[in-house]
Every structure is written in structure tokens, then in C-alpha cells.
Amino acid sequence: MSGLFPGWARSGTSGIVHAGTDSGVLSGNSIALQIGESHFATGGRSGHAVTVNGTLPAPLLRLREGETVSIAVTNRLKEQSSIHWHGLLVPFQMDGVPGVSFPGIDPGETFVYEFPLTHAGTFWYHSHSGMQEAEGLFGPIVIDPAGADPIACDREHVLVLSDWSPIHPHEQMRRLKMMGGYFNRQRQTLSGLLAGKDQSLADRLAWGAMRMDATDISDVTGSTYSFLVNGHGNTENWTGLFAPGEKVRLRVINASSMTNFNFRIPGLPLTVVAADGNPVQPVETDEVQIAIAETYDFIVQPGTAESYGVIAEAIDRSGLVRATLAQRPGLVGETPKLRERPVLTMRDMGMDMDGMDMGEDSGHSMSMRDPSVAPSVKMGPGVATLSPMPVDRLGDRPTGLESVDHRVLTYADLRSRNPNPDTRVPSRQIDVHLTAAMERYMWSMDGEAMSENPTPISFRLGERVRVNLINDTMMPHPIHIHGHFFELVSGEPGSRARKHTVNVLPGGKASFDLTADGEGDWAFHCHMLLHMHAGMMRVVTVRKEREA
């Protein structure tokens, strides 16, 4: 299938360079993209794919800060399509979300996106129509700084992580509607109980009474997914070359539709230098959970070893993909064994009782569906649980990495390299609840699905607002806002990390401060594609005057 890979994504690459010397890299002020149908196969699985210019992943767009780009996108499909420029600050009419910011691109039609490039970094693009993103319509974007790049390196590779299934995502949705745990092949068993594994009998009975599954980590799993790096599975072994002692920059993008990945290179520390395209103060770690839609830039300095395994392991440990950093083509990095899958705890229910007074007069509810803890939520069959005591989890190790014996990045470790551009204290705050009836596979925000046409979340142009994301479900949700960066409320103000996507851990909350500086209508949603498609999405409107 090498013909389906763009040049930058082929195994054995010496690294990404500018257009003209490496096929599959497009740059300049005028670019043409064609969306079409293809066939894709990996790991013994094959199926229909939606591709850009005939490749999966799509071409790498390498652009320059300060310039204006015109991108003509032609749709050769038999259905409507679109491209969203994920993480780029563009005029809302160019943001590429059908029904929110533009009409979409009809079959046979061409839409010309034109926008200035106002910031540098690692970003990506994908379809915002139907389920095309899951079928292969995604690709990387690298925007070089207008001046010298402050992140020095000798070589750089782009690694696009993805999940691939021959089962069409609409069919995945149908099966999950029939049974919420359809793809979960790692449930607790009687033999496990007898062997003293996982939850105790009392906990299993308690969770069963609440109709909750402590192993429900991912909706769609390695039972149907092949996990890929640059379109390559383990057998295809994507390989990026290095020379010993070099500083190698890895631009890692999680473009999967439903999989959060735990990323590590055993034997090689990772120095985080950028998150969601924005430079951060360097922090060294050993493993990073990269949520869907997030990007991280790492500097690694390989030693004299001939090869290193680059590991992206699914959050539920139902599979992994191993790529290789090597001194020459043909080497294969070591593939570790899958680690034990996580088991959720009371903290993931929003019931962390450590150090809390749980007496009758404490004011804490022990109910998992007490409307008084979330007065803004519209109660109905789509809201099965409400987090009774959600706590800030930005400093927590992410799901499944709580007890590993090496360093793990948390959001609290991230500090912006540059001072925050807006130092104002927010003038107001709002709560946004992430709600679901997981067993019925119903997903929403504040108890309302997007299909119910909920009232948009309204901001005044230029106002500073604190948004509290409260996860009332037992699954992490990567929440993405279009057209803006926000500052995570972690650590002292001044250099808080600026991101466009934050993974909200189960039962907890994550707060960010937003300056509403992008006038227009913007999508705000969970980036788990099936969750968004089922309804976990809202429209954010930014206007000079708040609309009545």
C-alpha cells in the first residue's frame, strides 16, 4: 500500500523538509486539494477510505507565519464534504463546519479557503462532515515561524496517530446503540474475581447495581481497530531515521476518531516543547497521554542504540502501534507487551471521598443523579449520572497511568513559554456539563444533544470568561473549541498553558479562561467522533453585543 502514503509519511524517511524535495509536502500561497474515494488496507483489514489527493494520511501542508494562503478544495465524493483547519485561528467563514460556519462543499464543487497565518506550530486538518474523518480524511499542518524557530533541532519528523476499522463508523454507532459495551472484550470475569483481580466482590455488586462498568474505558477498541502511525501498523513498521546525538523534534498529532493514546519511547526521555502548537517551557517526562485532537512537540536525543520503539498504546490497552526511530532503514524497534487495562475507581465517578466529611450535614450528595448538583442540566433520559463531587483533575495523572513507575505528564506540568497575552481576571464564569446515558449511547452537553437545537453559548466580543467543564460521565472527553485558544486554570496566572483541546477526566472538572476574540459562530464539542455525532456539541457565538 506504499502508493497510498504521501512521501513524508513513508517508512525510512530522513525527516520532513520543505516542498520541492519531498513529495506529499505542499506549501506556498496557493494549494489545491481533492477529496476522493480510495481503498485502504492494513494488518489484514481493508475497507473504503476517504482521502485527500489520493493519500492516507493527507498531504502535509507546510506554511509560513505571516503569509496568507488560498486553498482550493474540490469534492469528488458523492456526498457533501468539508475541511476544518484544526487549531488555526481563521475567520469563522473559513473554519469549515457545515451548518455552523459555512454551507459545506457539495459533490463536484470547489470551495476556496483563504486566510492569514497568524501563528506558528503543529496543527492538522480533517473533515467536519458526517464520519469522513474516521474514514481517512485527515492530514498534518506545520506552520513555520516568520523568523528563526526558537525550538532548535537537527531533524524533525511528523507522527500522525490514528485508528482504522473496516467497520464503517455509522455501523459502529448502530452496534453501540444496541449495546454500549459492544466492542469491550476486556470485562471483569468470575475467574478474575476468584483470582483476586480488579474490583472486589462488594465493589462489583455496587457498580452493577448502578449499571456501571469499571472497564468501560473506550467505546471502540482494538477488537476492530488497527492503530497506526502515519498510516502504518506494526507490520509495515513506519521508520524515521536519526544520527546519534542529534536533537530530533517529533511533531505528534492524535488524529484518531475514538482513541486516546499513551505515547512513549522506552529508554528515551521526552522533552515537551509545545502543546497544541503553542510553545511551552521545556519539561522532561517519560510518557504522555495524547488525547484525540491534541498535538505535542517533543525533543528527543537518541544515543548510540541502533533503534528505538516508538509506542502509542490505546488508553484501554486493547492494542498498540509500534513505529521505529532508527539509524538506518530495515531496523525494527522493540515492541513491549500490552500493560494491564485500567479499572475505574470512585474518583472516576466524581465521588472522591478522601478527607471529606460525608455526614448528614456535610452538604455532599451521595446520589449519582441529584439534580441539585447541576441546576443548569436539562434532566431527561439522556442524563444517567451527575458527578456528585467533581474536583479539579488537571493535576491528576490521566486514566490508566495513575500508578506506572515512571514520569507521566499532567496538564499541571505545562507552562507557556511566553507570557499569557490577556492578564485580566474573568468577569464571569459558566459551567458546561458533559452528560450521557452511556448504556443507551446518548451523549450531550448540559443534558441537550446538538440535534435538539440547544441555545448557543453566547460571549461578548473581547470578554474574558472562565469556563468550568464538568464531566458527569465515566469516560474522559477531549473537548475542543474552534477559533480560540484558552488558558488552563492550573498554577499561578501569568504563563498558564494555552491550548485548544483539553481532556476532561471522568467524574472531574477542568477549567479554562477564554478571551472571546474571534467574532462569529464556532463549534464547541467532544472530539470523540461518535460522541460528537451523537450530540456532545454546542455552538459558541461571539458578538459585539450579547444577543437577547
Side-chain angles (χ1 to χ4, degrees):
M1 300 300 294
S2 62
L4 196 59
F5 301 132
W8 65 268
R10 290 177 190 160
S11 187
T13 176
S14 60
I16 63 168
V17 291
H18 291 275
T21 56
D22 186 20
S23 63
V25 178
L26 303 179
S27 65
N29 302 108
S30 182
I31 292 172
L33 302 177
Q34 288 205 24
I35 300 170
E37 296 186 58
S38 300
H39 190 83
F40 183 75
T42 183
R45 293 165 168 160
S46 66
H48 169 267
V50 177
T51 56
V52 176
N53 291 11
T55 69
L56 190 161
L60 165 63
L61 306 185
R62 187 147 202 180
L63 311 171
R64 185 164 294 279
E65 180 186 18
E67 297 186 356
T68 295
V69 66
S70 176
I71 305 175
V73 179
T74 301
N75 179 13
R76 299 299 185 196
L77 302 176
K78 297 176 183 178
E79 61 185 25
Q80 192 180 88
S81 192
S82 60
I83 288 182
H84 163 60
W85 315 101
H86 185 101
L88 299 193
L89 303 181
V90 301
F92 85 94
Q93 302 94 331
M94 297 291 139
D95 192 51
V97 182
V100 175
S101 52
F102 89 136
I105 309 172
D106 288 329
E109 297 295 318
T110 298
F111 182 84
V112 179
Y113 294 88
E114 187 168 340
F115 47 84
L117 301 165
T118 61
H119 51 95
T122 302
F123 304 96
W124 62 297
Y125 62 102
H126 60 84
S127 173
H128 230 289
S129 298
M131 302 282 204
Q132 293 165 8
E133 179 189 339
E135 298 175 82
L137 204 168
F138 53 83
I141 301 173
V142 172
I143 302 180
D144 292 308
D149 195 329
I151 301 174
C153 67
D154 301 303
R155 187 192 300 260
E156 55 185 332
H157 292 290
V158 169
L159 284 73
V160 178
L161 313 180
S162 63
D163 45 25
W164 169 261
S165 173
I167 301 176
H168 193 282
H170 284 296
E171 174 60 18
Q172 294 174 15
M173 175 80 83
R174 189 187 72 83
R175 296 184 189 187
L176 287 164
K177 280 284 190 182
M178 290 192 301
M179 185 170 70
Y182 183 92
F183 294 101
N184 183 5
R185 306 292 190 266
Q186 300 188 108
R187 290 188 178 90
Q188 298 180 102
T189 62
L190 176 60
S191 61
L193 176 66
L194 296 175
K197 293 181 179 180
D198 303 326
Q199 289 180 308
S200 67
L201 176 60
D203 283 349
R204 293 191 194 201
L205 292 173
W207 283 56
M210 292 184 286
R211 303 176 73 83
M212 292 181 179
D213 181 357
T215 68
D216 189 8
I217 309 296
S218 297
D219 291 331
V220 190
T221 71
S223 66
T224 185
Y225 275 146
S226 296
F227 302 117
L228 309 175
V229 173
N230 295 341
H232 296 66
N234 291 338
T235 303
E236 294 93 359
N237 185 38
W238 181 86
T239 302
L241 301 181
F242 72 88
E246 284 185 325
K247 278 189 172 183
V248 181
R249 182 176 185 170
L250 304 177
R251 298 176 182 265
V252 185
I253 300 164
N254 188 349
S256 62
S257 58
M258 290 296 290
T259 306
N260 295 323
F261 284 108
N262 296 324
F263 183 86
R264 70 193 196 274
I265 305 177
L268 200 55
L270 305 169
T271 299
V272 184
V273 293
D276 286 354
N278 291 311
V280 297
Q281 297 175 25
V283 55
E284 188 176 279
T285 191
D286 297 306
E287 186 163 12
V288 179
Q289 187 169 107
I290 306 179
I292 301 160
E294 289 186 312
T295 74
Y296 281 94
D297 289 27
F298 305 104
I299 295 291
V300 297
Q301 294 185 265
T304 57
E306 288 197 321
S307 66
Y308 296 85
V310 180
I311 310 302
E313 184 180 45
I315 183 177
D316 69 331
R317 313 273 166 71
S318 61
L320 61 77
V321 57
R322 182 262 308 120
T324 301
L325 287 178
Q327 293 192 38
R328 64 180 188 276
L331 298 176
V332 179
E334 186 175 345
T335 305
K337 291 182 179 180
L338 283 169
R339 296 174 291 187
E340 286 194 21
R341 57 98 170 89
V343 177
L344 298 174
T345 68
M346 297 296 283
R347 188 170 176 83
D348 299 306
M349 273 191 197
M351 298 177 70
D352 183 17
M353 293 170 281
D354 290 345
M356 283 193 172
D357 175 14
M358 297 310 300
E360 292 183 7
D361 300 324
S362 67
H364 294 301
S365 171
M366 289 298 290
S367 168
M368 286 299 294
R369 203 172 184 271
D370 178 1
S372 69
V373 303
S376 61
V377 171
K378 181 180 178 182
M379 300 302 292
V383 180
T385 57
L386 294 171
S387 182
M389 295 175 288
V391 296
D392 176 14
R393 300 196 67 184
L394 288 175
D396 283 17
R397 285 187 169 199
T399 303
L401 298 178
E402 297 90 346
S403 58
V404 296
D405 60 358
H406 54 246
R407 295 169 297 181
V408 174
L409 187 79
T410 73
Y411 285 130
D413 296 326
L414 297 175
R415 302 289 287 170
S416 173
R417 195 188 65 206
N418 305 314
N420 295 147
D422 190 344
T423 58
R424 294 176 297 163
V425 174
S427 59
R428 65 186 177 103
Q429 60 180 320
I430 63 171
D431 292 344
V432 177
H433 287 258
L434 313 177
T435 45
M438 295 171 65
E439 194 173 60
R440 300 179 178 184
Y441 214 73
M442 300 172 72
W443 303 93
S444 56
M445 286 184 169
D446 288 335
E448 292 184 277
M450 187 64 178
S451 60
E452 298 176 76
N453 196 28
T455 302
I457 298 170
S458 182
F459 297 129
R460 294 187 303 277
L461 183 63
E463 78 167 325
R464 185 82 166 158
V465 181
R466 176 160 296 177
V467 178
N468 302 309
L469 297 171
I470 301 167
N471 189 348
D472 293 313
T473 81
M474 298 192 61
M475 193 169 281
H477 296 284
I479 301 299
H480 171 56
I481 189 166
H482 291 217
H484 296 80
F485 289 113
F486 51 70
E487 292 165 26
L488 296 179
V489 182
S490 180
E492 291 300 311
S495 298
R496 288 171 168 166
R498 300 181 70 227
K499 298 183 89 273
H500 54 59
T501 303
V502 60
N503 200 31
V504 189
L505 295 184
K509 65 180 179 180
S511 298
F512 62 75
D513 289 347
L514 174 81
T515 298
D517 51 10
E519 188 171 8
D521 298 332
W522 305 98
F524 178 49
H525 60 91
C526 176
H527 223 284
M528 287 184 155
L529 186 62
L530 299 186
H531 292 185
M532 182 186 74
H533 198 77
M536 192 175 276
M537 176 175 174
R538 294 290 285 272
V539 173
V540 165
T541 69
V542 179
R543 296 288 187 271
K544 291 179 180 177
E545 295 293 337
R546 178 142 3 136
E547 297 177 350

